[in-house]
Amino acid sequence: MLFLFFSGLSVFFALSRVVAAYNFVHLVLLAVVAMAVAKVLRTGLVKTEMVFGTLAGSAVLQAILGTAQFIKQGSLGLARFGEAVLGSEVPGVAKIIVDGAKVARSYGTFPHPNVLAAFLILGLCSLYYFWLRRPSEWRLFSSWKNLLSDLIIGVGIFTILLGLLFSFSRAAWAIAALITVLIIGYSILAKPTFRQSIRLLILLLAIGVLLFANFRPYISARAQFSAD
């Protein structure tokens, strides 16, 4: 409420009060939705697993779209779903320079690669939740059900990390790494999730090595900082 109060107060000091008021209404609506979602979750009308599942599934879909955009270096024809006009030579499109060549960053159906990256982080955390809450075991194979679960969640994590890579958002890379370290560190200390956290760590290390080995020029180009 304090945040909304100062946001509403800022409308009177904006250069364009009409535009500021319009966006403030949007902000109020978002706040109401957030409170409504919190109420629904608190009362148990909607299960937490349903929220995480929706986020994870949506993030995997967005990561697939982002990967396809990176491969094509252009739009996929999904303008009706919010996809921007993309291309390495399109003005205004976020790009990186790799060996002197322009490479368009992935957008998914979001207005900017950084927004896509932020959403993918939510999906990644959701998949971490499903991986860590499974029964802890050391065996590589105990049943077809567990193997299928490992495969689905593991492929989902790989797909989201691939999409996160192609967003080329350095801030998102750093945040995802920090969140991952915190989640795995906490899970290792927690006895019920110790084994699953070790298995998750091994999976992430394998994915990291695989991505770095195949996309090292892109990662190196984005990880560098110049004086200007």
Side-chain angles (χ1 to χ4, degrees), residues 17-211:
R17 293 185 180 181
V18 175
V19 175
Y22 175 77
N23 285 295
F24 176 67
V25 171
H26 275 199
L27 188 62
V28 172
L29 289 175
L30 287 172
V32 171
V33 170
M35 290 186 288
V37 170
K39 179 68 174 179
V40 168
L41 290 174
R42 191 180 301 113
T43 56
L45 294 177
V46 175
K47 301 298 182 182
T48 305
E49 289 78 6
M50 294 177 61
V51 177
F52 285 142
T54 302
L55 286 173
S58 301
V60 169
L61 178 60
Q62 289 291 339
I64 293 173
L65 295 178
T67 301
Q69 289 169 348
F70 173 79
I71 295 173
K72 186 180 178 182
Q73 280 297 290
S75 305
L76 304 176
L78 302 175
R80 291 187 177 182
F81 297 95
E83 184 187 33
V85 178
L86 305 177
S88 58
E89 300 300 330
V90 177
V93 172
K95 310 174 188 69
I96 63 170
I97 305 298
V98 181
D99 295 331
K102 295 180 180 179
V103 178
R105 297 166 60 185
S106 296
Y107 278 62
T109 58
F110 291 94
H112 194 274
N114 291 345
V115 184
L116 167 65
F119 184 74
L120 293 182
I121 291 176
L122 291 177
L124 184 64
C125 292
S126 299
L127 287 179
Y128 287 168
Y129 168 81
F130 286 114
W131 180 279
L132 293 172
R133 69 189 295 267
R134 296 174 60 249
S136 298
E137 55 184 21
W138 288 119
R139 290 178 294 177
L140 293 176
F141 179 80
S142 58
S143 68
W144 288 108
K145 182 179 179 180
N146 288 343
L147 180 63
L148 182 61
S149 176
D150 278 346
L151 183 63
I152 292 175
I153 301 176
V155 170
I157 291 175
F158 171 78
T159 303
I160 291 179
L161 289 176
L162 191 63
L164 190 61
L165 169 63
F166 294 146
S167 72
F168 295 108
S169 173
R170 288 178 292 204
W173 290 355
I175 293 172
L178 177 61
I179 290 176
T180 299
V181 170
L182 292 176
I183 289 177
I184 291 181
Y186 176 81
S187 301
I188 288 177
L189 296 177
K191 188 175 181 180
T193 55
F194 174 78
R195 294 179 179 179
Q196 285 299 91
S197 60
I198 297 298
R199 297 177 75 240
L200 178 60
L201 177 61
I202 295 173
L203 173 66
L204 292 175
L205 289 175
I207 293 176
V209 170
L210 181 63
L211 293 180

Side-chain angles (χ1 to χ4, degrees), residues 1-9 24 27-29 31-32 35:
M1 296 304 297
L2 190 63
F3 173 70
L4 288 178
F5 170 76
F6 284 108
S7 298
L9 195 63
F24 176 67
L27 188 62
V28 172
L29 289 175
V32 171
M35 290 186 288

